[in-house]
């Protein structure tokens, strides 16, 4: 991928939340649009449609997260 005349690596980014439905409801009230919700071995996920046409991942983990390890 090129950006600003430089070769840039592509990446997939997911934001993590505690409650997917609640987060989608809150963001939806502010105009966010989402892809379908699917279940993966690591959690439930969707994507947020960005104004650029890109997608940003959002998921609720089913795995232990670092803050739970204390």
């Amino acid at each position: 991928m090129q950006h600003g005349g430089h070769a840039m690596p592509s990446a997939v980014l997911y934001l993590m939340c505690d409650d997917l439905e609640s987060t989608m409801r809150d963001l939806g009230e502010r105009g966010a649009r989402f892809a379908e919700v699917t279940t993966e071995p690591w959690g439930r996920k969707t994507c947020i449609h960005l104004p650029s046409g890109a997608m940003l991942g959002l998921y609720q983990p089913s795995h232990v997260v670092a803050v739970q390890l204390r």
Side-chain angles (χ1 to χ4, degrees), residues 42-64:
W42 40 268
R44 297 179 60 240
K45 70 176 181 84
T46 187
C47 289
I48 303 169
H49 295 270
L50 299 178
S52 67
M55 303 287 268
L56 177 63
L58 176 66
Y59 86 107
Q60 177 182 334
S62 57
H63 58 80
V64 175

Side-chain angles (χ1 to χ4, degrees), residues 8 11-12 18-19 33 36 43-44 46 50-51 53 58 63 67:
M8 304 282 291
V12 176
D18 293 326
D19 183 330
R33 295 181 306 115
E36 71 282 353
R44 297 179 60 240
T46 187
L50 299 178
L58 176 66
H63 58 80
V67 295

Side-chain angles (χ1 to χ4, degrees), residues 20-45:
L20 187 62
E21 283 78 17
S22 175
T23 301
M24 289 175 68
R25 184 174 48 255
D26 291 347
L27 294 173
E29 289 172 358
R30 293 171 175 83
R33 295 181 306 115
F34 302 92
E36 71 282 353
V37 174
T38 59
T39 302
E40 303 294 337
W42 40 268
R44 297 179 60 240
K45 70 176 181 84

